[in-house]
Amino acid sequence: MIYTSEYDESYRNGPAIPVVELKIIPIGGNIGATITAMVDSGADATILPRLFLENAGAEQVGRARMRWGNERGKVYDVYLAVIEIGPFQVHGIRILADREGREAILGRDALNQLVVTLNGLANMVEISQ
């Protein structure tokens, strides 16, 4: 089985970017919330808006310091949840909560548990397990 998603062609006047719709499900739960996230194979971690994680019922499990590029480290609240993309679930992902931003990034912590094909010529993301 393969989940497919079209690239977002309206992203900040730049080239189209790979995105997927993902659902965050609390551990032991079945109801969650859905958000569109950028597929970023260069990001170590998944980062989602804090308010979204709280509304989805994800559990805060701690805090962590993360550094992006050459920036100085920043402390994030860490939430534990299941990530569902189409028919696939990735369990035990520690998601960083972005307090200020609204951008959603699906990082390698989740991507490395899936088979992800970025088909730029077709502007399509393909995911399987």
Side-chain angles (χ1 to χ4, degrees), residues 8-85:
D8 180 351
E9 295 188 35
S10 65
Y11 189 75
R12 295 189 186 155
N13 300 323
I17 61 165
V19 295
V20 294
E21 185 174 278
L22 58 87
K23 183 176 183 181
I24 297 300
I25 303 170
I27 302 298
N30 56 8
I31 297 175
T34 304
I35 192 168
T36 299
M38 175 174 52
V39 175
D40 188 350
S41 64
D44 292 339
T46 296
I47 183 167
L48 298 173
R50 181 185 56 80
L51 187 57
F52 169 78
L53 288 166
E54 290 174 356
N55 290 339
E59 176 186 356
Q60 184 178 351
V61 294
R63 298 181 68 136
R65 179 172 296 278
M66 187 68 156
R67 202 176 92 204
W68 301 94
N70 292 329
E71 291 182 19
R72 196 167 153 239
K74 180 177 171 184
V75 175
Y76 290 87
D77 294 330
V78 178
Y79 287 75
L80 185 64
V82 174
I83 295 177
E84 186 175 87
I85 304 169

